[in-house]
Amino acid sequence: MGTTSGSKALRQTLPQPDPALIAMLTALPDFPWPLAACRLREIPGGEINRCFRLEVAEQTLLLKWLSAQQRVPLDRAAQFALQQQLARHGMAAEPVYLSACQQIWLEQWCEVQTFADQDPDKLSLLATALGQIHGLTINTPALDLVAHWHCYLKHLPATEQQIFLPAIATCEAVWAQADKSVLCHHDLSFGHVLKAPAGVILDWEYAALSNRYFDLASCAAINQLSDADAQQLAANYASATGIRREDIQAGMEQMQPLVQLTNALWYAANRDKTG
């Protein structure tokens, strides 16, 4: 009796899930469990998508409620297949379900431990993680960065579109000549590199075959690295990969305008979502 009463009390204290999410899950013909058996608790954070802890049938899963209003055409099925491959390499949680509408995603729950922001080895950790990602042999589509730019552009007023067009033309020529043969994360913030489980990296949503120096420059921008820290990231990456530091720095400098353009377009296109 005590256990049952305690479970009821716990359920009553949990915030009620969004009715729109419940309606969506109810409408899915192949959702793995009856909703009456599921306990959902929202995890704070996320600018575009929403995440929930799902407890059901003596297991815990991460449920991602993916926005239907993405500003770029992300292929969730390709992302699911990519993460399955990454899970086999021990670098991502195992995905277990993707709805036909590609808005409900389930993966194995991981109790994660991040490194402290003040960790003196954080630049080395980022460089090592990037080197490991870039060294993987993965079957996945290549990043069509130019198409992403134009997708973002469509969501801007005509007058604002004109501001970006010269930079797009210049950067498009650079991207056309760039090597795009290695797996890249494209969103490797310091918080995505985990202390535990060791080797696991979070949030592969934008991963694709791409240019390693674009990924490095993106990493520097996402983590708001100073020029000195960006140079140290390049030095650490050189040590991790055996690529000459001078070549890495030159590649990052070449890709920096493309990263700046991508970030500016992303924020402009998502202003209504991020505030």
Side-chain angles (χ1 to χ4, degrees), residues 91 154 161:
M91 295 188 70
K154 291 177 183 177
Q161 290 183 21

Side-chain angles (χ1 to χ4, degrees), residues 147-171:
H148 283 211
W149 293 338
H150 286 281
C151 284
Y152 293 138
L153 205 63
K154 291 177 183 177
H155 295 279
L156 305 183
T159 53
E160 194 171 359
Q161 290 183 21
Q162 295 300 315
I163 296 172
F164 284 104
L165 287 177
I168 289 176
T170 300
C171 291

Side-chain angles (χ1 to χ4, degrees), residues 14 21 58 70 77 88 99 110 116 120 139 172 192 203 207 216 226 234 237 243 247 252:
L14 292 175
L21 173 61
E58 298 185 352
Q70 290 286 348
R88 289 194 289 270
S99 63
C110 288
N139 180 25
E172 186 172 350
H192 290 158
D203 290 352
L216 278 156
S226 64
Y237 185 79
I243 300 173
D247 293 340
M252 290 175 66

